[in-house]
Amino acid sequence: QVQLVESGGGLVQPGGSLRLSCAASRSIFSIYAMGWYRQAPGKQRELVAQITSAGSTNYAGSVKGRFTISRDNAKNTVYLQMNSLKPEDTGVYYCRAAPIGAPDYWGQGTQVTVSS
């Protein structure tokens, strides 16, 4: 019942910035948590950042201080602002919606490559 579409991925140089967007097909106001995950080649999918409906945020230690997650309920969109990007940030980034009383929903992912 919730479709998620990520955008904003691409190739960026080390030290650069990128903003990812996750557009939901319906209101995200009542969704408990929205989050971003990433998966690097040969690695497990890991939580990058999440934000709850109350505005609480959690970040992976490797991105804390560099990435910022936010949500715009009026636009049904969650964002991930990524600054000071490093090659190890490379991977496929997935948007996740975690509603209460329903299965999680995942987007198709967007590729982020940090390389010179």
Side-chain angles (χ1 to χ4, degrees), residues 38 40 62-63 66-67 82-93 112-114:
R38 70 185 179 192
S62 60
V63 308
R66 299 188 296 119
F67 291 10
M82 305 185 293
N83 298 326
S84 302
L85 284 162
K86 305 174 181 179
E88 51 262 45
D89 294 319
T90 295
V92 179
Y93 283 68
V112 172
T113 303
V114 184

CSV table of all heavy atoms in Angstrom, one decimal, residues 38 40 62-63 66-67 82-93 112-114:
chain,number,residue,atom,x,y,z
A,38,ARG,N,21.9,1.0,3.3
A,38,ARG,CA,22.8,0.9,2.2
A,38,ARG,C,23.5,-0.5,2.1
A,38,ARG,O,23.6,-1.1,3.2
A,38,ARG,CB,23.9,2.0,2.1
A,38,ARG,CG,25.0,1.9,3.2
A,38,ARG,CD,25.9,3.0,3.2
A,38,ARG,NE,26.9,3.0,4.2
A,38,ARG,CZ,27.7,3.9,4.6
A,38,ARG,NH1,27.6,5.1,4.0
A,38,ARG,NH2,28.6,3.8,5.6
A,40,ALA,N,26.8,-2.2,0.3
A,40,ALA,CA,28.0,-2.1,-0.5
A,40,ALA,C,28.3,-3.5,-1.1
A,40,ALA,O,27.8,-4.5,-0.6
A,40,ALA,CB,29.2,-1.7,0.3
A,62,SER,N,29.4,5.5,11.5
A,62,SER,CA,30.3,5.9,10.3
A,62,SER,C,29.8,7.1,9.6
A,62,SER,O,30.6,7.7,8.9
A,62,SER,CB,30.4,4.7,9.4
A,62,SER,OG,29.2,4.3,8.8
A,63,VAL,N,28.6,7.5,9.8
A,63,VAL,CA,28.0,8.6,9.1
A,63,VAL,C,27.6,9.8,10.0
A,63,VAL,O,27.3,10.9,9.5
A,63,VAL,CB,26.8,8.2,8.2
A,63,VAL,CG1,27.2,7.1,7.3
A,63,VAL,CG2,25.6,7.9,9.0
A,66,ARG,N,28.1,13.6,9.4
A,66,ARG,CA,28.2,13.9,8.0
A,66,ARG,C,26.9,13.8,7.3
A,66,ARG,O,26.7,14.6,6.3
A,66,ARG,CB,29.2,12.9,7.3
A,66,ARG,CG,30.6,13.0,7.9
A,66,ARG,CD,31.6,12.1,7.1
A,66,ARG,NE,31.2,10.7,7.1
A,66,ARG,CZ,30.9,10.0,6.1
A,66,ARG,NH1,30.9,10.5,4.9
A,66,ARG,NH2,30.6,8.7,6.2
A,67,PHE,N,26.0,13.0,7.7
A,67,PHE,CA,24.7,12.8,7.1
A,67,PHE,C,23.6,13.3,7.9
A,67,PHE,O,23.7,13.3,9.2
A,67,PHE,CB,24.4,11.3,6.8
A,67,PHE,CG,25.3,10.6,5.8
A,67,PHE,CD1,26.4,11.2,5.2
A,67,PHE,CD2,25.0,9.3,5.4
A,67,PHE,CE1,27.2,10.6,4.3
A,67,PHE,CE2,25.8,8.7,4.4
A,67,PHE,CZ,26.9,9.3,3.9
A,82,MET,N,23.9,14.1,2.4
A,82,MET,CA,25.1,13.4,2.6
A,82,MET,C,26.3,14.4,2.3
A,82,MET,O,26.4,14.9,1.1
A,82,MET,CB,25.3,12.2,1.8
A,82,MET,CG,24.1,11.2,2.0
A,82,MET,SD,24.4,9.6,1.0
A,82,MET,CE,24.2,10.3,-0.6
A,83,ASN,N,27.1,14.7,3.3
A,83,ASN,CA,28.2,15.6,3.1
A,83,ASN,C,29.5,14.9,3.4
A,83,ASN,O,29.5,13.9,4.0
A,83,ASN,CB,28.0,16.9,4.0
A,83,ASN,CG,26.8,17.7,3.8
A,83,ASN,OD1,26.4,17.8,2.6
A,83,ASN,ND2,26.2,18.2,4.8
A,84,SER,N,30.6,15.5,2.9
A,84,SER,CA,31.9,15.0,3.2
A,84,SER,C,32.0,13.5,2.8
A,84,SER,O,32.5,12.7,3.6
A,84,SER,CB,32.3,15.2,4.6
A,84,SER,OG,32.3,16.6,5.0
A,85,LEU,N,31.5,13.2,1.6
A,85,LEU,CA,31.4,11.8,1.2
A,85,LEU,C,32.8,11.1,1.0
A,85,LEU,O,33.7,11.8,0.6
A,85,LEU,CB,30.6,11.7,-0.1
A,85,LEU,CG,29.1,11.9,0.1
A,85,LEU,CD1,28.4,12.2,-1.2
A,85,LEU,CD2,28.5,10.6,0.7
A,86,LYS,N,32.8,9.9,1.4
A,86,LYS,CA,34.0,9.1,1.3
A,86,LYS,C,33.8,7.9,0.4
A,86,LYS,O,32.6,7.5,0.2
A,86,LYS,CB,34.4,8.5,2.7
A,86,LYS,CG,34.5,9.6,3.8
A,86,LYS,CD,34.8,9.0,5.1
A,86,LYS,CE,34.9,10.0,6.2
A,86,LYS,NZ,35.1,9.4,7.6
A,87,PRO,N,34.8,7.3,-0.2
A,87,PRO,CA,34.7,6.2,-1.0
A,87,PRO,C,33.9,5.0,-0.4
A,87,PRO,O,33.2,4.3,-1.0
A,87,PRO,CB,36.1,5.8,-1.4
A,87,PRO,CG,36.9,7.1,-1.3
A,87,PRO,CD,36.3,7.8,-0.2
A,88,GLU,N,34.1,4.8,0.9
A,88,GLU,CA,33.4,3.8,1.7
A,88,GLU,C,31.9,4.0,1.8
A,88,GLU,O,31.2,3.1,2.3
A,88,GLU,CB,34.1,3.5,3.0
A,88,GLU,CG,34.2,4.8,3.9
A,88,GLU,CD,35.6,5.4,3.8
A,88,GLU,OE1,36.2,5.5,2.6
A,88,GLU,OE2,36.2,5.7,4.8
A,89,ASP,N,31.4,5.2,1.4
A,89,ASP,CA,30.0,5.4,1.4
A,89,ASP,C,29.4,4.9,0.1
A,89,ASP,O,28.1,4.9,0.0
A,89,ASP,CB,29.7,6.9,1.4
A,89,ASP,CG,30.1,7.6,2.8
A,89,ASP,OD1,29.9,6.9,3.8
A,89,ASP,OD2,30.7,8.7,2.8
A,90,THR,N,30.1,4.4,-0.8
A,90,THR,CA,29.6,3.8,-2.0
A,90,THR,C,28.7,2.6,-1.7
A,90,THR,O,29.0,1.7,-0.9
A,90,THR,CB,30.8,3.4,-2.9
A,90,THR,OG1,31.5,4.5,-3.3
A,90,THR,CG2,30.3,2.7,-4.2
A,91,GLY,N,27.6,2.5,-2.5
A,91,GLY,CA,26.7,1.4,-2.3
A,91,GLY,C,25.3,1.8,-2.9
A,91,GLY,O,25.1,2.9,-3.4
A,92,VAL,N,24.4,0.8,-2.8
A,92,VAL,CA,23.0,1.1,-3.2
A,92,VAL,C,22.3,1.5,-1.9
A,92,VAL,O,22.3,0.8,-0.9
A,92,VAL,CB,22.4,-0.2,-3.8
A,92,VAL,CG1,20.9,0.1,-4.1
A,92,VAL,CG2,23.2,-0.6,-5.0
A,93,TYR,N,21.6,2.6,-2.0
A,93,TYR,CA,20.9,3.2,-0.9
A,93,TYR,C,19.4,2.9,-1.1
A,93,TYR,O,18.8,3.2,-2.1
A,93,TYR,CB,21.1,4.7,-0.8
A,93,TYR,CG,22.5,5.0,-0.2
A,93,TYR,CD1,23.7,4.7,-0.9
A,93,TYR,CD2,22.6,5.6,1.1
A,93,TYR,CE1,24.9,5.0,-0.3
A,93,TYR,CE2,23.8,5.8,1.7
A,93,TYR,CZ,25.0,5.6,0.9
A,93,TYR,OH,26.2,5.8,1.5
A,112,VAL,N,24.9,5.0,-5.3
A,112,VAL,CA,25.7,6.2,-4.9
A,112,VAL,C,27.2,5.7,-5.0
A,112,VAL,O,27.6,4.7,-4.4
A,112,VAL,CB,25.5,6.6,-3.5
A,112,VAL,CG1,26.5,7.7,-3.0
A,112,VAL,CG2,24.1,7.2,-3.3
A,113,THR,N,27.9,6.4,-5.9
A,113,THR,CA,29.3,6.0,-6.1
A,113,THR,C,30.2,7.2,-5.8
A,113,THR,O,30.0,8.3,-6.3
A,113,THR,CB,29.6,5.6,-7.5
A,113,THR,OG1,28.7,4.5,-7.8
A,113,THR,CG2,31.0,5.2,-7.7
A,114,VAL,N,31.1,7.0,-4.8
A,114,VAL,CA,32.0,8.1,-4.4
A,114,VAL,C,33.4,7.7,-4.9
A,114,VAL,O,34.0,6.8,-4.4
A,114,VAL,CB,32.0,8.3,-2.9
A,114,VAL,CG1,32.9,9.5,-2.5
A,114,VAL,CG2,30.6,8.5,-2.4
